[in-house]
Amino acid sequence: MEDLQLLDAIERYLRNEMNPEEKQFFEQLRSDKPEVDQLVVEHTLFLQQMDRFSEWKQVKASLQDVHEQLLQDGVIKEEAPRPTVVHIFRKYKKVMALAACIAGLTTLAIGGIATYFNRKASSAELQQLRREFKMEVANKKNEVLNEVNAKISKVPQDAELISGGTGFLIDGRGYLVTNAHVIKGGSTFVVQNNKGQEYRAKPVYVNEGNDIAILKVSDDDFKPHSILPYSFRKAAVELGEPLFTLGYPRDEIVYNEGYMSAKTGFNGDTMTCQIGVSANPGNSGGPVFNRNGEVIGIINTRQKQAEGVVFAITAKNIVRAIETIKKDDSTLRSLKLPANTQIKGMERVQQIKKIEDCIFMVKSY
């Protein structure tokens, strides 16, 4: 509340000009703020002094009128009259000086206290506003930078796409597994998530014999996943067990479901199994999940002559490959597959929502 507003409120309160709501609010303000209550008391004393001064002036004027009337009627004669104002001033100069001092001090006190508290409150509010403004600017700046970074393609200029497929995280720090044939012949690799954000990646393991490749995201824009929602099934999968896949046969992630149709792959290959599910070339390297959210394999090929005949490298071969590279490369010894599934028992839609952020399109240039 500004100084003048406060003084106006005090005067209106003392003159009983406030409506009931204003009066209740003002009395609550006096109760909550001792400094305001003190101002009301001081202003009351000041007004009382002013009223007394006004009454004194009225009495003086009445006496002067009577005096003039008596002179006109000849009842009294004026002898060596002294200037009335000067006479009265000399007579009451001590009272007037005291009243003026009280009025001046009261005004200064009211103005000073009101200014102090207003300035204190205003300063705190301004500091809070400055902090909020700076935080808002910083947040907006980060949002804009993130949006700009997300839209900047990580693909080298004039680079030609050689091949592509799907990959998925096996370690939240940015390690993905895909097929070796997905990245074959490429020198630059970019992975893209379901939000369209691209990250540069580099291979840390490629084995064309088992068709498994492991990439490591090498991009500062990538935000690690603290935990992966799925785990890896090391035991055999039963025939007819329901399965589902997620992959990138086109620019957006695609879901498909099917079942385990054979425990071995093409021509009895024990490294792979056969699943009954639809798949296209972009599905290569994509994960195959059972209903508990466990990875049971990774799609690597399909039988072109028969619809729904797809082969997947079993999960135990992925585990074996990771154990091998951990022995061969000391920098990868900390690589660790997720031990437990976080999505067991969830509805399929909820499972997909948890998983899809971990599935990437893999592009080889």
Side-chain angles (χ1 to χ4, degrees):
M1 186 179 290
E2 299 294 339
D3 297 0
L4 294 176
Q5 290 178 321
L6 181 59
L7 291 174
D8 179 66
I10 292 172
E11 291 201 2
R12 290 176 56 234
Y13 173 75
L14 294 175
R15 290 171 184 164
N16 201 25
E17 294 175 354
M18 288 184 169
N19 59 40
E21 291 77 13
E22 287 179 310
K23 186 174 181 179
Q24 183 180 6
F25 173 79
F26 190 79
E27 288 178 343
Q28 185 62 44
L29 184 65
R30 289 185 65 183
S31 176
D32 295 339
K33 294 184 176 296
E35 63 272 17
V36 174
D37 183 65
Q38 182 66 23
L39 286 176
V40 174
V41 173
E42 291 174 350
H43 201 69
T44 301
L45 292 174
F46 170 71
L47 292 178
Q48 288 175 352
Q49 291 291 339
M50 294 300 292
D51 289 342
R52 289 173 188 167
F53 181 70
S54 177
E55 290 173 358
W56 171 80
K57 286 185 68 177
Q58 289 179 0
V59 170
K60 188 199 76 170
S62 298
L63 290 174
Q64 194 166 358
D65 291 342
V66 171
H67 180 79
E68 293 294 333
Q69 186 63 45
L70 290 174
L71 284 174
Q72 290 178 5
D73 295 344
V75 177
I76 62 172
K77 293 182 179 179
E78 194 170 21
E79 295 180 0
R82 290 182 295 180
T84 305
V85 175
V86 175
H87 173 69
I88 292 173
F89 173 77
R90 288 178 179 175
K91 184 176 180 180
Y92 295 102
K93 64 182 179 182
K94 290 184 179 179
V95 176
M96 293 175 67
L98 179 60
C101 288
I102 291 173
L105 290 173
T106 303
T107 302
L108 288 173
I110 291 172
I113 292 172
T115 301
Y116 171 76
F117 284 104
N118 277 324
R119 185 178 302 146
K120 188 175 180 181
S122 298
S123 177
E125 290 172 357
L126 284 173
Q127 289 180 3
Q128 179 64 23
L129 285 173
R130 289 194 187 100
R131 284 194 292 270
E132 291 176 355
F133 179 74
K134 288 181 178 178
M135 290 177 63
E136 185 67 19
V137 169
N139 290 336
K140 291 294 182 187
K141 181 181 176 182
N142 289 334
E143 287 179 9
V144 172
L145 286 175
N146 290 335
E147 289 180 4
V148 170
N149 288 332
K151 292 178 179 177
I152 295 176
S153 176
K154 303 300 173 65
V155 179
Q157 192 172 9
D158 300 327
E160 293 185 4
L161 183 66
I162 297 175
S163 63
T166 302
F168 60 99
L169 290 172
I170 55 174
D171 186 305
R173 293 172 297 175
Y175 290 94
L176 301 98
V177 64
T178 185
N179 289 139
H181 76 261
V182 169
I183 64 169
K184 185 177 181 180
S187 58
T188 300
F189 309 99
V190 173
V191 297
Q192 177 181 316
N193 64 15
N194 60 334
K195 299 179 181 65
Q197 297 167 320
E198 294 181 333
Y199 306 100
R200 300 180 188 90
K202 59 182 181 182
V204 295
Y205 171 84
V206 179
N207 189 325
E208 294 183 7
N210 59 17
D211 199 20
I212 292 176
I214 295 175
L215 303 176
K216 173 69 171 66
V217 174
S218 56
D219 203 309
D220 294 337
D221 296 335
F222 178 76
K223 294 181 180 177
H225 294 237
S226 58
I227 188 169
L228 298 181
Y230 44 80
S231 62
F232 286 74
R233 174 74 177 262
K234 298 176 184 177
V237 180
E238 299 299 329
L239 288 176
E241 186 171 332
L243 305 170
F244 67 94
T245 64
L246 288 168
Y248 284 94
R250 56 175 188 257
D251 286 341
E252 63 177 330
I253 195 166
V254 175
Y255 165 83
N256 263 311
E257 60 182 18
Y259 51 90
M260 172 65 77
S261 53
K263 292 186 178 181
T264 59
F266 186 68
N267 287 335
D269 180 10
T270 57
M271 195 178 74
T272 60
C273 60
Q274 179 179 320
I275 58 176
V277 66
S278 297
N280 289 301
N283 284 106
S284 290
V288 182
F289 295 98
N290 64 11
R291 59 188 170 190
N292 292 330
E294 297 171 313
V295 176
I296 65 100
I298 169 175
I299 294 175
N300 77 319
T301 187
R302 64 189 175 100
Q303 191 168 324
K304 296 180 180 178
Q305 294 78 13
E307 183 68 25
V309 178
V310 176
F311 302 104
I313 302 167
T314 59
K316 64 181 180 183
N317 286 290
I318 302 172
V319 175
R320 193 175 298 158
I322 292 171
E323 290 174 351
T324 299
I325 63 174
K326 288 172 69 174
K327 291 177 182 176
D328 296 341
D329 189 341
S330 60
T331 63
L332 299 175
R333 285 176 185 167
S334 61
L335 190 60
K336 189 176 181 180
L337 295 176
N340 300 302
T341 174
Q342 309 294 317
I343 53 177
K344 182 179 180 180
M346 285 186 179
E347 296 289 336
R348 183 60 49 83
V349 172
Q350 297 304 316
Q351 287 181 325
I352 293 170
K353 286 183 178 178
K354 294 283 187 181
I355 292 173
E356 62 181 347
D357 286 345
C358 305
I359 315 297
F360 290 78
M361 180 190 299
V362 179
K363 295 181 279 190
S364 175
Y365 296 90

